[in-house]
């Protein structure tokens, strides 16, 4: 059995103003704060302890501290650790983590110095984890820019067990061990920056009302509302606090092993269109700019 990660637990972010970002994620983005030592954490309606962790900035200023991937159990974690250790120097040994979510895991830097943490047995929430209208359920995917996107995608496939599920002209969509079409997309770009973080909403109404709420609070839509090709998900993109690129999304295609991947020749829109419906304007210049704004911190791989 090939060990595989199950998707994204959380994204840990260094922000210039934890207070202002917290107000946003609580009141506008509609996450719920979880009392946590050492970070300001927000959960969605899924069971994960938190899906966004906010931290005061280090010397680099606002940046991505780490992407935390979910692993099913300790046996899979140890198997993944053996594969990572064989591929990458300076990988921590698996250990009990002292972060807000606790658990057992390890961190490392990938070939382009992104900070990844693999985690299992975290301190998750009991009770129902049913999606609720207007509230994000979880981080359903993260898009990562890469200077060498083939190498980055190959690592995620060969070492972390993702399946290459579709490929467009600019991105490789990677499927984790969960029904979501993709959990990571690796985007062909100039450097290893964050492209965007996508939050799963209950339905299209929740995306539309969320977009209205964002507009009411001074965050215009930067791209959308539209429906993507690969993944078939409905999208609306925004510049969040400190211009972090955020997406509300819904109806991400649910797939199993019978899904047949397709390539760039299939995933093309006619000239002038950037989604299936043909309603959205092209993405704004601002979105293009902020999609290369956030790098990874120097030390976020140390847990
Ligand atoms: Fe997305």
């Amino acid at each position: 059995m090939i060990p595989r990660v199950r998707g994204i637990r959380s994204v840990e972010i260094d922000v210039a103003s934890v207070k202002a970002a917290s107000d946003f994620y609580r009141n506008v983005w509609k996450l719920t704060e979880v009392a946590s030592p050492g970070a300001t954490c927000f959960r969605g309606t899924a069971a994960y302890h938190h899906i966004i962790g906010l931290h005061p900035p280090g010397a680099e200023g606002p940046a991505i501290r780490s992407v935390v991937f979910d692993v099913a159990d300790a046996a899979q974690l140890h198997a993944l650790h053996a594969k990572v250790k064989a591929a990458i120097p300076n990988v921590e040994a698996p250990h009990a983590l002292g972060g807000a979510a606790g658990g057992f895991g390890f961190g490392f830097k990938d070939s382009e110095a992104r900070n990844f943490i693999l985690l299992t047995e975290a301190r998750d929430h009991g009770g129902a984890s049913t999606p609720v209208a207007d509230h994000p359920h979880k981080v359903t995917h993260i898009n990562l820019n890469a200077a060498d996107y083939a190498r980055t995608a190959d690592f995620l496939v060969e070492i972390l067990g993702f399946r290459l599920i579709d490929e467009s002209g600019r991105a490789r969509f990677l499927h984790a061990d969960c029904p979501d079409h993709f959990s990571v997309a690796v985007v062909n770009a100039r450097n290893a920056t964050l492209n965007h973080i996508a939050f799963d909403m209950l339905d299209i109404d929740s995306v539309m009302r969320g977009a209205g709420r964002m507009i009411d609070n001074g965050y215009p839509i930067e791209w959308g509302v539209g429906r993507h090709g690969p993944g078939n998900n409905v999208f609306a993109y925004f510049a969040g606090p400190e211009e972090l690129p955020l997406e509300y999304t819904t109806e991400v295609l649910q797939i199993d092993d019978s899904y047949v991947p397709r390539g760039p020749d299939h995933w093309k829109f006619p000239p002038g269109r950037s989604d299936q419906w043909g309603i959205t304007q092209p993405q704004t210049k601002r979105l293009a700019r902020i999609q290369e704004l956030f790098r990874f911190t120097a030390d976020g791989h140390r847990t």
Side-chain angles (χ1 to χ4, degrees), residues 141 143 196 198 228 237 247:
H141 65 259
N143 282 27
H196 67 271
H228 281 308
Y237 289 78
E247 176 186 3

Side-chain angles (χ1 to χ4, degrees), residues 25-26 29-33 42-44 51-52 135-136 199:
Y25 286 107
R26 184 189 307 110
W29 203 245
K30 290 291 181 191
L31 299 177
T32 301
E33 190 165 354
F42 292 86
R43 66 170 295 190
I51 61 173
I52 288 290
H135 293 265
F199 296 75

